[in-house]
Amino acid sequence: MRILVIEDEAKVARALEQGLEGEGYAVALAHTGEEGFFRTSAEHFDLVLLDVMLPGRDGFEVLAALRQRGVRTPVLVLTARDAVADRVRGLDAGADDYLVKPFAFAELLARIRALLRRGRAEPALELALGDLELDIATHRVTRAGARIELTAREFELLEALLRHAGQVVSRETLAREVWQEERRSEQLDNVIDVYVARLRKRIDGEGRPRLIHTVRGVGFALRLEES
């Protein structure tokens, strides 16, 4: 399980990171609202711990922007503000839970477990975008009704892109979700680029409207081509 901690106080962020890693979670840190917004939009996390008092964009603004963008990752808001109005604002912005500082680490863990249980759902077995369809159970891929033969790795890559359809998927995310590598490398980036090129040729070839787009310096996006 991957957790993103968005916290500007380095000491607090480090304590959360060490404590959560000690419980077996993979933890990433962001120290500003902008950085947290970008990482949550571009990468997959199972949960976000979001501090309210952040430099620049505060936590409420980050949360509202994420929800407007369609990001449904569970968010647990951490704040020193105990006023009812602040709690209401956080929940209205899309928070899944609210914890007031200072808090007991055991309570934080209990709330994290509850949110992860609540957010866990069976993955869809059929994915589609436009005339592209992928069936997990039968390993069948079609576009406009025509069968497309893919290798096992190409199928996994397409599945990952379809599960994030409309979003930019970073090479780091693909390295983790498709190649099962927690850390990307230049060599792995080159492998990913080769597979994306192969997949694009199979999916977008023969004069079909383009679905696989490269976002320079960031990653790839599977989306309908804008007219």
Side-chain angles (χ1 to χ4, degrees), residues 136-152:
I136 306 293
T138 63
H139 257 237
R140 179 183 176 89
V141 175
T142 61
R143 183 148 190 207
R147 181 75 179 263
I148 298 175
E149 297 294 340
L150 299 178
T151 66

Side-chain angles (χ1 to χ4, degrees), residues 57-154:
R57 266 181 166 178
D58 69 21
F60 293 137
E61 293 173 324
V62 171
L63 179 55
L66 287 171
R67 295 311 190 214
Q68 289 172 4
R69 191 171 182 139
V71 176
R72 303 263 64 90
T73 305
V75 174
L76 172 56
V77 169
L78 306 176
T79 182
R81 298 175 177 177
D82 195 21
V84 172
D86 288 320
R87 295 186 182 219
V88 170
R89 184 182 174 193
L91 295 171
D92 283 346
D96 295 276
D97 202 355
Y98 201 102
L99 191 56
V100 177
K101 299 176 180 179
F103 50 79
F105 188 66
E107 182 180 4
L108 173 64
L109 291 176
R111 288 176 182 253
I112 287 174
R113 289 193 295 268
L115 285 177
L116 290 175
R117 286 195 301 269
R118 189 190 312 170
R120 191 176 298 139
E122 290 297 320
L125 294 179
E126 295 183 1
L127 303 170
L129 180 68
D131 60 359
L132 175 65
E133 297 180 354
L134 179 147
D135 189 309
I136 306 293
T138 63
H139 257 237
R140 179 183 176 89
V141 175
T142 61
R143 183 148 190 207
R147 181 75 179 263
I148 298 175
E149 297 294 340
L150 299 178
T151 66
R153 184 71 79 188
E154 289 166 350

Side-chain angles (χ1 to χ4, degrees), residues 23 30 45 69-70 89 125 147 152 172 177 195 198 209:
E23 295 295 321
F45 294 99
R69 191 171 182 139
R89 184 182 174 193
L125 294 179
R147 181 75 179 263
E172 181 179 16
E177 295 187 4
Y195 271 90
R198 289 180 184 173

Side-chain angles (χ1 to χ4, degrees), residues 171-186:
R171 289 177 178 83
E172 181 179 16
T173 297
L174 292 176
R176 183 177 60 255
E177 295 187 4
V178 180
W179 277 266
Q180 307 302 312
E181 297 285 346
E182 280 300 319
R183 297 184 182 278
R184 49 181 287 209
S185 63
E186 183 177 350

Side-chain angles (χ1 to χ4, degrees), residues 3-10 13 17 27-40 43 45 48-51 54-55:
I3 296 177
L4 176 64
V5 176
I6 308 176
E7 167 66 65
D8 66 313
E9 293 186 33
E17 180 183 35
V27 181
L29 299 179
H31 299 289
T32 66
E34 289 293 340
E35 182 186 3
F37 175 79
F38 176 79
R39 294 201 65 172
T40 309
E43 302 177 44
F45 294 99
V48 174
L49 299 184
L50 175 63
D51 184 41
L54 295 169

